[in-house]
Amino acid sequence: VNGIEIYNMKIDSKVTSRFAHNVITSRAVNRGNVSKEVFFDVELPKTAFITNFSMIIDGVTYPGTIKEKEAAKKQYEKAVSRGQTAGLVKASGRKTEKFTVSVNIKAASKVTFELTYEELLKRHFGKYEMFIKVKPKQLVKDFEIEVNIFEPQGITELEAEGTFITNELQNVIKKTFSEKKGHISFKPTLGQQRACASCSQSVLDGDFTVRYDVKRTTPDNLQIVNGYFVHFFAPTNLPKLPKNIIFVLDTSGSMSGRELQQTKAALLKILDDIKEDDYFNFVLFNSEVSTWKETLIKATPENLDEAKKFVQQIDAGGLTNLHGGLMRGIDILNAAHEENLVARRSASIIIMLTDGQPNVGVSSTRAIETDVKNAIGGKYPLYNLGFGPGVDYGFLEKMALENKGLARRIYPDSDADLQLQGFYDEVANPMLTDVELNYPKNEISDLTTNSFKHFYDGSEIVVAGRFVDSNQNHLTVDVRGKGANDVLTYTTQQDSEQTAQAFQEPEYIFGEYIERLWAYLTIEQLLEKRIAATGEEKENLTAEALALSLKYKFVTPLTSMVVTKPEEIGNEDGIADKPTEGIDMFTILLYLRSQVSLTPSPLYQTSQPTWYNSVDGDPHFIISVPQKKDAICFNINENPGTVLNLINDPVTGITVNGELIGDKKANSDAKVQNSYFGKLGIANKHLDLKVTVTPEKITIQNGNEKTGFTWFESVNMQQTGLTLIINRKKNLVLSMSSGASFVVVLHQVWKNHPLHKDFLGLYTLEDDKLSEQTHGLLGQFFHPIDFTILEIHPGSDSRKPDATMVVKNNELIVTRGWQKDYRRDPNRGVDIPCWFVHNNGAGLIDGVHTDYIVSSLF
């Protein structure tokens, strides 16, 4: 691409006893006659830790070094202060995190990138899954994925699939397995990579997934190597426990529309899967709390039919009494146990779904955490599902972990109902409760988590540890858990000789893999415990996780990897971090929808949330991005008297221009003079219609006819092609025959204000009624716009973090802040969180802001 050719890319994965060691190697050459920038861009599984990165340029290797985050940050800032730029960025998606590095390469030179990452493969629905993102972005002469699996228990099944795999490519996937070894290769030719016979685009764009399982002659497998052990426990053929499940569902106004429809679709499918010996109930919360039934109900066919009718009638509206909803659900579950309504040998679960934050009733997250933990009392797990980016995910995760559950993000895409249903399927079949794996205390140190509230069918429990005496080679383990019929007790033994006999294939072993598996699992669990910890406990967990991250060279949320590029081709220091969820990102990313789903003013006769673009204030542009449930903002700084084109649609003939005014006198302390819109011109040339709006009056000119109104009138007027409503001294709504509508807000200051003047704000409604050719400072954003936020970090204002935004192929430094929405309250306004683009929207708007200056209002 652009003179840069990737001539070789290989993804080489070795899996030994569920622990995957992956190396991605990419070789590129600059075929041009001038220096070019080469990008290495990889998406990795969220559960993986990067362990190494290096670049080889002209035979010289430039390795990455993993350091404590603060030390890495100082090295990075030192490079930035020298005028150099970051070489590495990060971003977090649904399943993956992005790793990117770029370097300038001289003409006819080559560069090799090598990235290594490791992860422990989890077992879901009876199979281990390895996920590889494939996106070379161009045809690659020599492209290969190779996966080698070694499992001492033996492999029972092995499969590989890709979202991009065509019928022709299906035959390119080669897979074999026998006994303990499995092998998969995928090596398409250049012709097979082409999207079509004459295309230069690659069909390789999507997910490549490997799944397998192992033989289980016993419920577990124990391995001992060089003073470390790992214990895998996954019993089969156990009877399923009855379950008692409470669904606690957010039905506040922000759940209106697709979110609620998807939730209901998932619940209806879940009701089809509930077993007859299960008990269940629904708790709904918005401003109030309601329940389907007062107690848990047995899942008889009659009750399930009634439940489906109830689900279909669920509606949304109001605020978010999350505390009330959760506490009601816990009370119902507690009462069912106290009154012996449910079986003594059964598994109880609470699943809570919300898309917002508590804002009525008890809204303090700390108080909610305390009340919920006390009420549950460790008796059953709480699973929190956060729908969309408007949730305080850190709060949901902490509360779930404090109650032996977990949190999961549900992404507001077209498959959100399948995500919800998929999560339920994971916990739908409990086999054991209160599982304890006991190891001799005087022989083992640094044991990972060894007690589990539930064991679910198709999953696996993994425990690792190290021996006090590194020469010890024998271990006995006792396992205990409560099953549907009786208490399961199981004892197993293993020595290192048995492990050594099972591992007679040295080419499959990478380093001290059991020790690294132990370190990986320990760090993962320490970071998880750290979320719910406070004070000295949190400090100790942090110190322990940091020490292990540095010792084993894992990029974790406590460490960063710094890459120093060669001096003669840029000498840029880059910093790679592992993204984190929730409040550790320096800010809760509120989204616009939570702000506009409150009770509407008379201006909007609907309870549905409204997405819109606007310009108001000094002048502040707010651009909504509904698919992100977020907003982008920018200011335009120009002199009073300047007229800016805001909207221009050549198809419908509608234009909107605005003339700036300034304060009565300039503020000598301000770098830029404050300016506002003092006059708006809204026209439809097809109708020969012009509407002029100032803070003093509204004038409509239709051909040669002219009509005037003042802001002191209440007007509801209709004429050919135009509807005008004036809400006295507040705002006006103007609708064109095309269906496009605008709201103009009047801002009045007190009569003899020494500095400010009255001014106007413009808000668009139903801008989808305008054509695809619409442009202008506002109009260009009536079409979908996408952006990605990377590298959130503290800014100059401690309340407003900075970040890198990738939008329209540009990387911009943006700031998280607020702008005022004055639709409902022209005096105080409502704070709208948004990403602020500096420098008059440069890089976000098409061209530069001066391109939008026009000679007159019409």
Side-chain angles (χ1 to χ4, degrees):
V1 175
N2 194 27
I4 300 298
E5 179 191 339
I6 303 171
Y7 61 91
N8 177 280
M9 177 176 278
K10 182 170 184 181
I11 302 169
D12 185 8
S13 298
K14 288 184 179 179
V15 182
T16 303
S17 287
R18 292 74 149 167
F19 196 57
H21 177 88
N22 309 283
V23 181
I24 300 176
T25 305
S26 180
R27 294 182 171 90
V29 59
N30 180 4
R31 302 256 186 230
N33 53 14
V34 295
S35 294
K36 294 281 179 67
E37 191 172 22
V38 182
F39 286 89
F40 177 68
D41 193 349
V42 180
E43 291 186 55
L44 310 173
K46 277 188 172 186
T47 52
F49 291 150
I50 293 171
T51 61
N52 186 50
F53 174 74
S54 60
M55 294 182 293
I56 303 169
I57 304 169
D58 294 334
V60 181
T61 300
Y62 300 90
T65 56
I66 295 174
K67 298 186 175 185
E68 188 269 329
K69 190 177 283 290
E70 198 58 36
K73 183 182 173 187
K74 287 177 181 175
Q75 180 174 337
Y76 165 71
E77 288 175 343
K78 185 178 179 182
V80 172
S81 70
R82 296 195 300 262
Q84 297 152 353
T85 58
L88 298 171
V89 295
K90 54 136 168 40
S92 193
R94 185 191 289 195
K95 283 187 176 181
T96 60
E97 304 167 343
K98 187 175 287 186
F99 174 99
T100 301
V101 63
S102 65
V103 64
N104 285 307
I105 297 298
K106 292 180 291 188
S109 288
K110 296 180 178 180
V111 58
T112 298
F113 301 101
E114 188 173 281
L115 179 72
T116 305
Y117 66 93
E118 295 176 345
E119 65 172 328
L120 177 63
L121 303 182
K122 304 291 197 299
R123 187 169 185 255
H124 294 292
F125 307 117
K127 295 177 183 177
Y128 303 100
E129 181 176 285
M130 182 165 67
F131 170 84
I132 298 171
K133 191 75 173 179
V134 177
K135 193 170 186 174
K137 299 182 181 178
Q138 61 174 268
L139 300 174
V140 180
K141 182 180 178 183
D142 186 9
F143 179 92
E144 182 178 11
I145 297 174
E146 185 173 26
V147 180
N148 286 291
I149 302 169
F150 182 77
E151 289 289 350
Q153 289 173 260
I155 298 171
T156 58
E157 56 183 315
L158 177 64
E159 60 188 53
E161 62 182 22
T163 57
F164 54 87
I165 297 295
T166 60
N167 290 335
E168 183 184 11
L169 286 177
Q170 191 68 52
N171 299 323
V172 181
I173 300 176
K174 307 295 183 186
K175 64 173 185 175
T176 58
F177 72 95
S178 62
E179 296 299 324
K180 303 173 185 177
K181 301 178 188 176
H183 180 259
I184 287 173
S185 70
F186 177 65
K187 195 172 182 179
T189 64
L190 271 175
Q192 290 167 330
Q193 293 174 45
R194 295 183 188 277
C196 66
S198 58
C199 294
S200 60
Q201 288 81 28
S202 174
V203 74
L204 305 184
D205 185 358
D207 305 336
F208 189 85
T209 305
V210 174
R211 296 185 184 90
Y212 72 93
D213 200 18
V214 300
K215 293 179 182 176
R216 300 181 194 281
T217 54
T218 61
D220 66 348
N221 179 256
L222 186 59
Q223 298 171 23
I224 302 170
V225 176
N226 294 340
Y228 290 83
F229 79 87
V230 61
H231 186 195
F232 302 103
F233 180 71
T236 56
N237 300 319
L238 292 175
K240 293 180 177 60
L241 282 161
K243 61 182 178 294
N244 319 305
I245 187 163
I246 295 274
F247 297 95
V248 181
L249 306 173
D250 183 348
T251 58
S252 61
S254 58
M255 282 287 291
S256 297
R258 189 168 76 161
E259 280 90 341
L260 186 61
Q261 294 306 315
Q262 290 173 318
T263 301
K264 289 161 70 170
L267 290 173
L268 291 172
K269 185 65 176 69
I270 287 168
L271 287 170
D272 283 337
D273 295 335
I274 288 182
K275 312 296 188 296
E276 191 162 354
D277 56 354
D278 292 343
Y279 282 74
F280 71 106
N281 200 352
F282 296 102
V283 176
L284 312 181
F285 66 90
N286 44 50
S287 299
E288 305 295 332
V289 176
S290 62
T291 61
W292 172 49
K293 300 289 185 182
E294 291 303 309
T295 63
L296 280 178
I297 297 296
K298 198 171 192 299
T300 63
E302 296 78 15
N303 287 336
L304 288 171
D305 285 342
E306 186 182 342
K308 290 176 183 177
K309 292 175 185 176
F310 172 78
V311 166
Q312 287 168 335
Q313 293 170 1
I314 294 174
D315 203 356
L319 302 178
T320 310
N321 186 0
L322 185 148
H323 175 270
L326 260 181
M327 294 302 291
R328 181 74 62 86
I330 296 166
D331 288 345
I332 291 173
L333 205 46
N334 284 341
H337 282 277
E338 291 164 5
E339 297 165 11
N340 296 317
L341 180 65
V342 296
R344 187 170 62 87
R345 293 193 184 281
S346 59
S348 294
I349 300 169
I350 295 182
I351 297 179
M352 192 270 287
L353 169 72
T354 181
D355 78 330
Q357 300 181 41
N359 55 20
V360 68
V362 178
S363 57
S364 163
T365 55
R366 184 169 295 182
I368 295 171
E369 289 165 10
T370 301
D371 288 352
V372 168
K373 186 176 181 180
N374 290 339
I376 290 178
K379 296 187 289 291
Y380 33 78
L382 167 66
Y383 296 103
N384 289 331
L385 306 182
F387 203 137
V391 294
D392 181 345
Y393 189 78
F395 157 62
L396 297 182
E397 186 175 36
K398 182 180 179 185
M399 185 164 59
L401 292 172
E402 285 178 332
N403 294 284
K404 301 184 180 181
L406 55 83
R408 183 77 58 84
R409 278 198 185 278
I410 302 298
Y411 292 83
D413 296 331
S414 59
D415 68 341
D417 55 334
L418 298 179
Q419 296 175 56
L420 290 166
Q421 187 187 327
F423 174 80
Y424 171 79
D425 290 343
E426 289 183 43
V427 299
N429 296 307
M431 313 288 276
L432 296 170
T433 63
D434 300 317
V435 183
E436 298 276 349
L437 295 88
N438 298 307
Y439 306 83
K441 290 183 180 178
N442 58 343
E443 297 177 9
I444 302 299
S445 67
D446 301 313
L447 189 68
T448 62
T449 300
N450 66 321
S451 64
F452 303 85
K453 192 63 189 173
H454 289 169
F455 168 75
Y456 296 104
D457 189 25
S459 67
E460 181 174 68
I461 288 172
V462 184
V463 181
R466 62 180 178 179
F467 292 101
V468 173
D469 178 359
S470 60
N471 295 315
Q472 183 171 335
N473 60 12
H474 180 83
L475 184 62
T476 301
V477 185
D478 293 318
V479 182
R480 181 183 176 89
K482 297 175 183 176
N485 300 324
D486 51 25
V487 175
L488 171 76
T489 57
Y490 177 78
T491 301
T492 186
Q493 300 182 49
Q494 179 79 351
D495 61 45
S496 56
E497 279 298 314
Q498 291 170 297
T499 303
Q501 290 170 13
F503 284 79
Q504 297 296 318
E505 308 290 338
E507 71 270 21
Y508 283 86
I509 309 304
F510 49 90
E512 301 294 343
Y513 88 94
I514 286 186
E515 182 178 349
R516 292 192 67 79
L517 188 158
W518 164 82
Y520 172 97
L521 194 57
T522 300
I523 293 168
E524 190 177 58
Q525 293 179 359
L526 287 170
L527 293 171
E528 194 175 84
K529 290 176 184 175
R530 179 174 169 263
I531 291 169
T534 56
E536 187 176 349
E537 182 191 6
K538 186 164 190 169
E539 291 176 9
N540 292 338
L541 291 168
T542 301
E544 192 177 348
L546 174 59
L548 287 171
S549 300
L550 292 171
K551 179 178 178 180
Y552 291 95
K553 295 182 169 54
F554 287 132
V555 176
T556 71
L558 303 176
T559 55
S560 299
M561 182 171 61
V562 179
V563 180
T564 302
K565 302 181 187 180
E567 263 185 55
E568 65 271 18
I569 53 174
N571 191 25
E572 299 169 342
D573 282 10
I575 186 166
D577 292 337
K578 185 167 185 63
T580 55
E581 292 272 19
I583 57 176
D584 285 340
M585 297 283 281
F586 304 105
T587 183
I588 305 300
L589 302 185
L590 301 176
Y591 63 104
L592 189 57
R593 187 165 190 167
S594 64
Q595 295 286 348
V596 300
S597 60
L598 306 176
T599 304
S601 69
L603 187 60
Y604 304 98
Q605 302 301 324
T606 172
S607 62
Q608 296 293 321
T610 304
W611 293 94
Y612 58 92
N613 296 328
S614 67
V615 56
D616 211 334
D618 178 28
H620 308 305
F621 289 74
I622 302 179
I623 308 303
S624 66
V625 187
Q627 65 271 26
K628 295 282 188 181
K629 297 211 171 97
D630 210 337
I632 304 175
C633 303
F634 62 97
N635 291 356
I636 295 295
N637 299 309
E638 266 299 335
N639 296 322
T642 302
V643 180
L644 297 171
N645 174 237
L646 303 177
I647 299 167
N648 178 28
D649 182 5
V651 176
T652 64
I654 294 174
T655 61
V656 181
N657 294 328
E659 182 175 332
L660 296 175
I661 58 171
D663 285 332
K664 293 177 181 176
K665 58 182 179 179
N667 183 352
S668 58
D669 296 330
K671 294 180 181 178
V672 180
Q673 181 177 0
N674 292 334
S675 57
Y676 312 85
F677 282 113
K679 187 181 291 186
L680 292 171
I682 304 170
N684 186 328
K685 68 178 182 181
H686 296 336
L687 299 175
D688 196 15
L689 177 69
K690 297 177 181 176
V691 180
T692 305
V693 185
T694 70
E696 293 76 37
K697 62 181 180 179
I698 301 100
T699 305
I700 301 172
Q701 184 171 347
N702 196 341
N704 295 322
E705 293 183 22
K706 186 177 287 189
T707 309
F709 304 96
T710 71
W711 283 97
F712 292 91
E713 300 175 73
S714 293
V715 176
N716 190 333
M717 183 204 78
Q718 288 187 320
Q719 65 177 56
T720 304
L722 175 70
T723 299
L724 181 73
I725 301 171
I726 300 176
N727 295 295
R728 187 172 180 269
K729 296 174 69 173
K730 291 183 178 179
N731 53 49
L732 67 85
V733 184
L734 188 149
S735 299
M736 297 284 189
S737 57
S738 65
S741 301
F742 310 100
V743 178
V744 179
V745 173
L746 172 66
H747 297 274
Q748 290 183 303
V749 299
W750 44 280
K751 189 173 182 179
N752 296 316
H753 196 290
L755 183 63
H756 298 309
K757 300 176 184 177
D758 296 348
F759 64 97
L760 305 171
L762 176 73
Y763 296 79
T764 64
L765 298 177
E766 298 186 287
D767 48 44
D768 58 330
K769 299 295 194 293
L770 296 173
S771 80
E772 292 184 358
Q773 297 181 40
T774 304
H775 210 265
L777 278 171
L778 265 184
Q780 64 187 285
F781 299 108
F782 294 172
H783 320 301
I785 183 172
D786 194 18
F787 67 90
T788 301
I789 294 296
L790 314 170
E791 288 194 312
I792 300 176
H793 57 275
S796 56
D797 185 335
S798 60
R799 299 169 303 166
K800 300 178 179 180
D802 284 347
T804 299
M805 173 185 285
V806 180
V807 61
K808 295 184 177 180
N809 295 320
N810 298 317
E811 285 192 9
L812 313 176
I813 299 301
V814 295
T815 301
R816 191 64 178 178
W818 301 266
Q819 297 287 28
K820 290 287 189 182
D821 171 1
Y822 292 101
R823 285 178 309 141
R824 299 194 184 91
D825 186 345
N827 297 317
R828 293 185 297 273
V830 175
D831 284 331
I832 298 295
C834 60
W835 292 107
F836 185 82
V837 177
H838 303 271
N839 303 321
N840 292 299
L844 171 68
I845 63 173
D846 294 339
V848 295
H849 81 279
T850 52
D851 296 340
Y852 299 86
I853 295 176
V854 293
S855 58
S856 65
L857 209 57
F858 296 106

